[in-house]
Amino acid sequence: METTMEHQILYLSKQDLIELGGAHSDPYVAAVSRALELHSAGDYVQPLKPYLRAAGENGHIADRIIAMPAYVGGETAISGLKWIGSKHDNPAKRNKERASALIILNDPETNYPVAVMEGSLISSMRTAAVTVIGARHLAKEGFEAVSVIGCGLIAKMQIISLLEQFGTIKTVRLFDLNPEAAGRLAEEIQLRYVHIEVIVEETSEQAVRQAEVLVTATVASAPHIPYEWLAKGTFVSNISIMDLHKDVFIQADKVIVDDWDQSNREKKIINQLVLEGKFSREQLHAELGEILIGRKPGRESDDEIIVLNPMGMAVEDIASAAELYRRALSAGKGTVLWL
């Protein structure tokens, strides 16, 4: 009789991840920093992520499912996949968060799965970690004023992570096309951080013009922020990709991405500029990992306007998930499943 060898995997729910510290920025900043350094060292494998769009070109830009596989090297090498679905109208129509995700981790020695976990918390927090890491190297030292455009879950994680990591912040300005969303987020942040002034602005221009650090966290499908709104010295973390007009990329002192190949696709603004012959790899200042390892400089003067345009990389998700998986093994957290 043939013997079937069972294999166990660990399932981690969102609550498991929270109890492991997954709602705080520190584990993500550390994991994403390592992932970016390994990316610059070439110790990774990361195929271009495919987009599944059931509605085709007629659908909203935020309506898609993305498969994000990666191998992350280093001393604790790991492979994995983030499978993340998004519908722009989930909050309004279905009372659900816009995005949902699962992450699967695989042992690269056998390629067997070792863990599966809720992925939306990890996804939002690793995105915030990219902004934190960018701000450490690209924002003015001692910055005090942060503005966030878009007031959903991603914006909340961005603000919390910035406030956890930078004690100099005094003011957070918010704008959303839905004033109620901005008001709810403002109230939540103010209750949690009573020493911070939280202001809901009536226009995005008011929020942008007063920012030292500007974060875009919208589902915009077309640019709405021109270069002239940006004050000298502003660091922009353009995490939602489509918010900045083309003139921002052309006139900014430095443009940084996480990965050039990932950024130059899907008809995003950089890709549009490349196709028009107005931007190129040579005009790019750096990939973020190059700055972390000292290959390229970060901010060099207080007047520079610097744009970070991160498409989001699977190595960031997989490295972050692996960090929480290791914590779970040490703490005995999670539910064992059998294949």
Side-chain angles (χ1 to χ4, degrees):
M1 179 183 295
E2 184 177 341
T3 300
T4 301
M5 298 185 68
E6 292 183 308
H7 174 76
Q8 71 178 37
I9 62 177
L10 188 66
Y11 170 71
L12 298 172
S13 68
K14 181 182 284 189
Q15 186 58 39
D16 290 331
L17 297 175
I18 290 170
E19 291 173 7
L20 291 165
H24 295 279
S25 57
D26 282 344
Y28 300 97
V29 173
V32 172
S33 293
R34 287 195 300 272
L36 290 168
E37 290 170 0
L38 290 166
H39 178 267
S40 282
D43 194 1
Y44 76 102
V45 179
Q46 182 175 256
L48 289 177
K49 54 192 178 187
Y51 288 68
L52 175 61
R53 299 186 186 276
E57 294 184 357
N58 297 323
H60 190 281
I61 192 171
D63 293 355
R64 78 275 174 164
I65 306 177
I66 310 174
M68 299 177 63
Y71 163 80
V72 184
E75 294 181 1
T76 54
I78 194 78
S79 297
L81 168 76
K82 181 173 78 170
W83 181 243
I84 180 164
S86 168
K87 272 295 192 79
H88 77 284
D89 56 359
N90 274 344
K93 281 191 174 182
R94 303 171 188 93
N95 196 31
K96 292 179 178 289
E97 293 177 0
R98 177 182 61 83
S100 60
L102 286 175
I103 295 176
I104 301 171
L105 295 180
N106 295 71
D107 172 10
E109 188 171 328
T110 64
N111 282 344
Y112 265 65
V114 294
V116 59
M117 62 192 76
E118 198 280 332
S120 64
L121 177 63
I122 292 172
S123 188
S124 61
M125 289 299 289
R126 71 83 162 144
T127 303
V130 173
T131 294
V132 166
I133 294 163
R136 283 182 176 175
H137 295 271
L138 306 173
K140 290 188 296 186
E141 188 174 349
F143 67 88
E144 299 179 356
V146 173
S147 292
V148 180
I149 310 300
C151 294
L153 174 67
I154 295 293
K156 174 183 171 181
M157 300 311 190
Q158 293 277 322
I159 295 166
I160 289 172
S161 294
L162 285 168
L163 290 173
E164 284 182 351
Q165 296 292 324
F166 298 99
T168 59
I169 298 172
K170 295 181 178 179
T171 305
V172 174
R173 290 181 170 84
L174 304 175
F175 175 79
D176 195 289
L177 291 174
N178 178 354
E180 292 181 358
R184 285 194 300 270
L185 181 57
E187 183 177 356
E188 184 173 356
I189 297 299
Q190 192 70 81
L191 285 171
R192 186 166 178 173
Y193 298 95
V194 294
H195 62 291
I196 301 296
E197 183 180 18
V198 183
I199 301 168
V200 175
E201 297 288 1
E202 293 185 358
T203 68
S204 60
E205 181 176 357
Q206 289 173 329
V208 171
R209 285 188 179 276
Q210 299 178 81
E212 292 177 290
V213 169
L214 172 66
V215 180
T216 61
T218 75
V219 292
S221 57
H224 57 98
I225 298 174
Y227 178 78
E228 66 175 357
W229 290 2
L230 300 174
K232 284 187 178 296
T234 302
F235 162 59
V236 184
S237 184
N238 187 38
I239 62 168
S240 47
I241 302 298
M242 294 296 291
D243 300 72
L244 304 180
H245 277 288
K246 292 177 181 178
D247 66 342
V248 176
F249 295 93
I250 294 170
Q251 296 185 61
D253 295 286
K254 288 174 180 163
V255 176
I256 291 101
V257 298
D258 46 7
D259 180 282
W260 172 253
D261 292 330
Q262 297 278 4
S263 298
N264 183 27
R265 64 192 296 251
E266 285 289 310
K267 296 184 179 179
K268 306 299 185 185
I269 301 299
I270 283 181
N271 184 225
Q272 292 177 31
L273 287 167
V274 170
L275 294 174
E276 294 166 6
K278 297 176 181 176
F279 199 80
S280 67
R281 179 70 175 86
E282 290 67 37
Q283 289 167 268
L284 184 76
H285 174 67
E287 292 180 334
L288 185 55
E290 294 180 294
I291 295 173
L292 265 65
I293 65 173
R295 186 181 300 160
K296 296 284 183 70
R299 176 173 291 273
E300 296 176 278
S301 80
D302 283 350
D303 286 343
E304 286 181 307
I305 293 176
I306 301 178
V307 175
L308 173 63
N309 194 79
M311 282 287 285
M313 295 196 296
V315 293
E316 300 161 354
D317 296 291
I318 303 309
S320 297
E323 171 64 26
L324 291 167
Y325 171 61
R326 287 188 287 269
R327 289 186 175 204
L329 292 178
S330 297
K333 284 282 186 185
T335 302
V336 174
L337 306 176
W338 295 91
L339 291 180

